Amino acid sequence: MTISSHRVPLTARPKDLAMFVYFVSHIPTTILMDAVPLYPSFMKTLIQPLLDFQVWYVENFRDPFMADRELIWFNTFLHLEGLVQLPIFFYAAWALYNNKRSIALWICVYAAHVTTTVLPCLTTLALGKPSDFPFEISDNQKTFLLSVYSPFFFFPLWMLVECFGRVRSHEGISSKKTK
C-alpha cells in the first residue's frame, strides 16, 4: 500500500478542520486568560488589562474557579495548560494543517489529559455545596457555567475517540508492512 505524500487540503478533512479550529482558538484564550496567573510579577503593569478582564469575567459570570486562586488543584490545571498544553496547541495546529498522521497520538495524550482535568470542574459545579464556592452561585449561574465548561470536556473526548481510532488504524498499517 502506497501512502500519498501530497497534502490533502484541510477543508477536505472536516474532522481535522474542527480539531484545527479548536487548537487555534485555544492559543489566544490560554495566553490572554488562563495563563495570566503564570506571568511573573514584574509584568504586572503590562498584563494589568488582562487582570482587569479576569475581574470583569468573574464578576459577570461568577466563575468560582477563576475567582479563587487558593484552589491548588485548579491552579495546577492552569499551570499545566500554560506549560504543557499551549505548546501542543501550536504543534497540533501545524500538524493538522499539514496532514501529519503522527499528530493522532499527541491528540490522544492531550485529550485524555484535558478530559480528566475538566471533569472535576464539571462535577464541582454540578454537585458542589455552597461551601465549595468562594461566593454564592445561583442554579442558573451553575447551569450557565456547566454549558461553558462542558464543550471542553466533550470535544476533547470526541478527539480522544477519533484519534485513538486513527492510532489503531496506523498500527494495523505498520504491522502489515513488517510482515
Side-chain angles (χ1 to χ4, degrees), residues 2-160:
T2 305
I3 298 174
S4 175
S5 62
H6 78 282
R7 189 179 80 77
V8 177
L10 195 55
T11 53
R13 299 176 280 126
K15 292 177 182 178
D16 286 1
L17 178 61
M19 287 186 264
F20 174 81
V21 169
Y22 173 89
F23 286 116
V24 168
S25 70
H26 271 63
I27 294 168
T29 303
T30 298
I31 292 170
L32 300 175
M33 182 72 166
D34 296 343
V36 170
L38 302 178
Y39 298 145
S41 58
F42 72 84
M43 292 181 66
K44 185 167 169 67
T45 56
L46 293 173
I47 64 166
Q48 191 58 51
L50 301 177
L51 295 168
D52 293 343
F53 176 75
Q54 284 191 338
V55 169
W56 175 87
Y57 169 79
V58 168
E59 287 174 355
N60 286 280
F61 297 102
R62 309 292 289 174
D63 186 328
F65 309 118
M66 296 303 284
D68 189 353
R69 294 297 175 201
E70 301 300 314
L71 292 173
I72 295 170
W73 63 270
F74 187 74
N75 284 312
T76 302
F77 293 164
L78 292 180
H79 280 75
L80 287 168
E81 184 174 351
L83 301 171
V84 176
Q85 294 177 30
L86 185 59
I88 292 173
F89 298 155
F90 284 98
Y91 177 64
W94 173 85
L96 287 163
Y97 181 81
N98 289 293
N99 200 20
K100 303 292 184 185
R101 286 187 343 178
S102 61
I103 193 58
L105 181 58
W106 282 102
I107 292 174
C108 284
V109 170
Y110 164 80
H113 164 71
V114 168
T115 55
T116 57
T117 60
V118 173
L119 189 57
C121 299
L122 294 174
T123 55
T124 300
L125 286 168
L127 305 173
K129 303 176 299 291
S131 62
D132 294 330
F133 304 108
F135 42 69
E136 188 175 324
I137 303 173
S138 71
D139 287 341
N140 285 343
Q141 290 164 328
K142 283 184 186 180
T143 301
F144 172 77
L145 289 168
L146 282 165
S147 72
V148 169
Y149 277 86
S150 292
F152 300 106
F153 174 79
F154 289 109
F155 196 83
L157 183 62
W158 167 76
M159 288 193 300
L160 177 59

